[in-house]
């Protein structure tokens, strides 16, 4: 490891996130259009749930809604076929489940930290 690199516990997801950020920064498409293209591409390659999870935050940040995702599935259905659409719908749901579970875990951790801090402050009084 070079001295400029920082060791993390999630090097693969960190790399994928960096690739996503770079893609957003280097495209002339507005973020919403770029995310529509990315979601359509994920459907076309039969991406796993984790790939949808990785793109959920950038998609939401760009203004993509679940209704938009449904419209994307309808738009690409004649090209990719029923099997890919059914697979994509399941993987999108599972990917969003990952994102929700992660957000819940982070919120739980924050609440526990706040409770510990409150308990420590009360003990000082």
């Amino acid at each position: 490891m070079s001295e400029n690199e920082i060791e993390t516990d999630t090097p693969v997801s960190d790399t994928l996130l960096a690739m996503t950020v770079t893609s957003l920064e280097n495209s002339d498409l507005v973020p919403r259009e770029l995310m529509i293209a990315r979601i359509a591409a994920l459907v076309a390659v039969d991406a796993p749930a984790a790939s949808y999870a990785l793109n959920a935050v950038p998609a939401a940040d760009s203004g993509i809604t679940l209704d938009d995702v449904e419209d994307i599935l309808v738009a690409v259905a004649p090209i990719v076929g029923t099997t890919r659409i059914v697979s994509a719908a399941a993987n999108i749901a599972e990917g969003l489940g990952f994102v929700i579970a992660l957000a819940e875990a982070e919120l739980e951790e924050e609440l526990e930290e706040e409770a510990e801090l409150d308990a420590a402050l009360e003990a000082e009084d």
Side-chain angles (χ1 to χ4, degrees):
M1 179 179 340
S2 74
E3 62 187 59
N4 292 334
E5 294 179 29
I6 299 172
E7 188 172 337
T8 69
D9 292 336
T10 57
V12 173
S13 63
D14 292 347
T15 300
L16 295 173
L17 181 60
M19 289 168 51
T20 298
V21 169
T22 300
S23 174
L24 290 168
E25 291 172 348
N26 291 330
S27 175
D28 288 334
L29 294 173
V30 296
R32 179 178 164 74
E33 291 172 349
L34 182 84
M35 291 313 301
I36 288 170
R38 289 177 66 91
I39 293 166
L42 290 171
V43 174
V45 300
D46 198 21
S51 293
Y52 289 101
L54 198 68
N55 285 279
V57 171
D61 288 348
S62 75
I64 299 289
T65 66
L66 288 176
D67 286 339
D68 294 326
V69 173
E70 184 178 78
D71 289 339
I72 294 165
L73 293 176
V74 169
V76 300
I79 297 164
V80 300
T82 304
T83 306
R84 288 277 164 95
I85 295 301
V86 171
S87 177
N91 288 334
I92 289 167
E94 187 178 344
L96 289 176
F98 291 154
V99 172
I100 291 168
L102 180 61
E104 286 176 342
E106 289 175 356
L107 180 60
E108 216 172 272
E109 186 177 311
E110 288 176 17
L111 291 173
E112 287 175 8
E113 289 173 1
E114 282 183 26
E116 290 173 4
L117 181 60
D118 287 345
L121 291 173
E122 286 179 17
E124 288 180 2
D125 289 337

